Amino acid sequence: MQYFYKKAKYLCTKIRKTSLHPMSRILILLSFVIALVCLPLDAQTGLEFYLQQAVENSPFLLELHHRQEKNTVEAERLKSLYTRSTIGLTGESVMVPIITQDNGKTSFKLDAQNADKYWGYDLAQSSSYLHAGITWNQPLTGGAFLKTEQARLKIENQQSANDIRLHAHDLEKSVTDEYLLCLLDKTQMQFADTIYNLLSHQYDVLYRLATKGLAKNSDLALLKIEQKNNESLQQSALESFRNHLADLYIICGIRDTILRNPTDLHLSLKIKSQEESPFTEKYRLDSLHTLSLLKSSLLPYRPKINVFIDGGVYAGNYNQLYRRMGMSAGITFSWLLYDGKQKTMMERETALDLSSISNYRQRFLLQKEQEKQKYLTELRNQEKQQKILKEQLHAYDALLDNYCRELQQGNISMVDYITILRNKIQVTKDSMLLETNTQLVINALNYWNW
């Protein structure tokens, strides 16, 4: 917003010098003020806003929360499966028709129960019957099965919670990186404003000298060219700001197109906490989950005992259905004793999975230390470079002050002044870029030192 304020101040100065009617001047200034008020760039927005938006709008984080809710529902389903009784309705009707020749007569019977001379299925092996009833079944050994599955679901919930922390940490780094690039563009725009004011001041001074014959018109033309170059720098910084802000909006899932003005940010190195890092916690939970899956796979090898009661009708003669209603009760027992060594194979597969997880963990720890050392070395080098650039900037500031005085006295040419000014601009841009890179390195170190 400072850029537009300076533009307005400059415009007011120019309008006062024109020969326009006072009412026309007022209308021009009023239009410019309205444009500034309507400009959305005035909205100040800090990093916390973008981090919050990124977390709230992340579909992956939403999926992880849904996964935890699904595990809660699954725990209730397994509780019903292993510990609660079930009631089912069953029915079966079998018709075995035959053609009989008993007593010298050929006849067709739909549900014959016995015959001596007939065509059809052997009634000793298969005969007509009707079975229909309700069965109640209650597991007696499901408690141990349920505990095993509950332990697995608990580990999966811990995995989801850790994945939420990891993804939120990844989002924090990505959002912060993009936010720092937006701040770099903002700083470049502010620097362009400073150069604009400096060139405008020099142009006004040189213009007054030229009207008195104390300065060359060619110097004025050269200064005008430099002003155009600076306007190009301003426009380039603004376009870069728009692009980086658009990328930031994409990461955060922000739908609007408001050009929010980012507030200043200065990162500092964070001290690693003493608790277990979520990075390494992931591998520990993966190992526990692999073991829990093995225990769930071995559930069929445990003995199962169920008690049941059923009641209904079971009749071979359809004419006697009303006399064949009754009930039965009993206990079922099953225990898998041998399966062709499938159990041993599953245990071997689990051992291989655990070995892979351990290898990934060791490789990650090595990568983490290498990343930290790389960024620490880069940070030290950047601090040295920043010190050199600051010394150069101080020297250029003092040199430009002297050149300004000598330029007004006509002791040096505008070409010399512009040359020094361009050198300072380049060093300043290098310094701003180096400062942003330093912040990016600190952000990377904070990411790995977690």
Side-chain angles (χ1 to χ4, degrees), residues 169-180:
H169 189 58
D170 291 339
L171 282 177
E172 181 181 2
K173 182 182 183 302
S174 300
V175 170
T176 304
D177 284 346
E178 207 63 46
Y179 187 86
L180 289 172

Side-chain angles (χ1 to χ4, degrees), residues 244-384:
H244 285 139
L245 193 63
D247 292 338
L248 182 59
Y249 283 2
I250 293 173
I251 297 174
C252 299
I254 299 176
R255 298 180 182 273
D256 59 53
T257 57
I258 297 177
L259 294 182
R260 292 181 174 86
N261 187 16
T263 57
D264 292 338
L265 176 68
H266 183 74
L267 299 177
S268 57
L269 286 175
K270 296 179 181 179
I271 300 176
K272 184 181 182 303
S273 60
Q274 297 298 323
E275 63 180 7
E276 185 72 16
S277 170
F279 284 135
T280 53
E281 178 71 3
K282 175 185 183 303
Y283 299 102
R284 187 184 74 86
L285 293 175
D286 287 347
S287 298
L288 292 177
H289 185 246
T290 301
L291 292 173
S292 69
L293 289 177
L294 175 63
K295 292 180 180 179
S296 296
S297 301
L298 297 181
L299 288 178
Y301 297 89
R302 295 183 179 182
K304 299 178 183 178
I305 302 177
N306 293 344
V307 61
F308 71 92
I309 299 176
D310 63 15
V313 60
Y314 203 142
N317 192 332
Y318 287 89
N319 296 327
Q320 299 179 356
L321 290 180
Y322 66 96
R323 300 178 61 182
R324 296 296 178 260
M325 297 185 65
M327 62 175 292
S328 65
I331 296 177
T332 62
F333 172 80
S334 64
W335 190 3
L336 180 61
L337 298 178
Y338 182 74
D339 63 351
K341 297 184 178 181
Q342 294 183 39
K343 179 180 178 181
T344 302
M345 296 176 187
M346 286 189 292
E347 291 173 345
R348 288 180 59 189
E349 290 175 354
T350 300
L352 292 173
D353 290 338
L354 291 174
S355 177
S356 297
I357 294 173
S358 177
N359 291 334
Y360 275 115
R361 182 179 183 276
Q362 295 300 323
R363 179 60 181 270
F364 173 79
L365 291 177
L366 176 61
Q367 178 189 359
K368 182 180 178 182
E369 289 302 317
Q370 290 177 334
E371 293 285 354
K372 288 169 61 176
Q373 292 300 323
K374 180 185 71 175
Y375 286 118
L376 283 172
T377 302
E378 188 175 350
L379 184 61
R380 287 192 293 266
N381 293 334
Q382 288 179 352
E383 289 176 351
K384 295 178 182 179

Side-chain angles (χ1 to χ4, degrees), residues 17-76:
K17 295 180 180 180
T18 63
S19 58
L20 295 174
H21 190 274
M23 184 58 67
S24 299
R25 299 178 187 177
I26 294 175
L27 290 176
I28 293 175
L29 290 175
L30 183 60
S31 300
F32 192 77
V33 170
I34 293 175
L36 287 179
V37 172
C38 296
L39 192 69
L41 187 59
D42 189 50
Q44 293 283 334
T45 308
L47 176 62
E48 292 300 324
F49 167 79
Y50 294 105
L51 292 177
Q52 180 181 359
Q53 291 296 312
V55 171
E56 292 178 355
N57 298 327
S58 171
F60 184 65
L61 288 178
L62 184 61
E63 179 188 351
L64 291 175
H65 286 294
H66 287 170
R67 190 181 301 173
Q68 290 180 318
E69 295 178 9
K70 286 173 60 178
N71 283 342
T72 302
V73 177
E74 178 67 7
E76 289 298 320

Side-chain angles (χ1 to χ4, degrees), residues 4 26 42 54 61 89 133 226 288 315 401 411 435:
F4 297 99
I26 294 175
D42 189 50
L61 288 178
L89 181 64
E226 196 61 29
L288 292 177
D401 289 339
N411 295 331
E435 178 64 28

Side-chain angles (χ1 to χ4, degrees), residues 80 84 108 117 124 130 148 173 190 243 251 263 276 279 298 319 340 358 393 404 429:
S80 298
R84 294 175 183 170
F108 175 79
K117 188 177 181 181
L130 172 67
T148 300
K173 182 182 183 302
Q190 292 174 341
N243 293 334
I251 297 174
T263 57
E276 185 72 16
F279 284 135
L298 297 181
N319 296 327
S358 177
L393 286 176
C404 285
K429 291 172 63 177

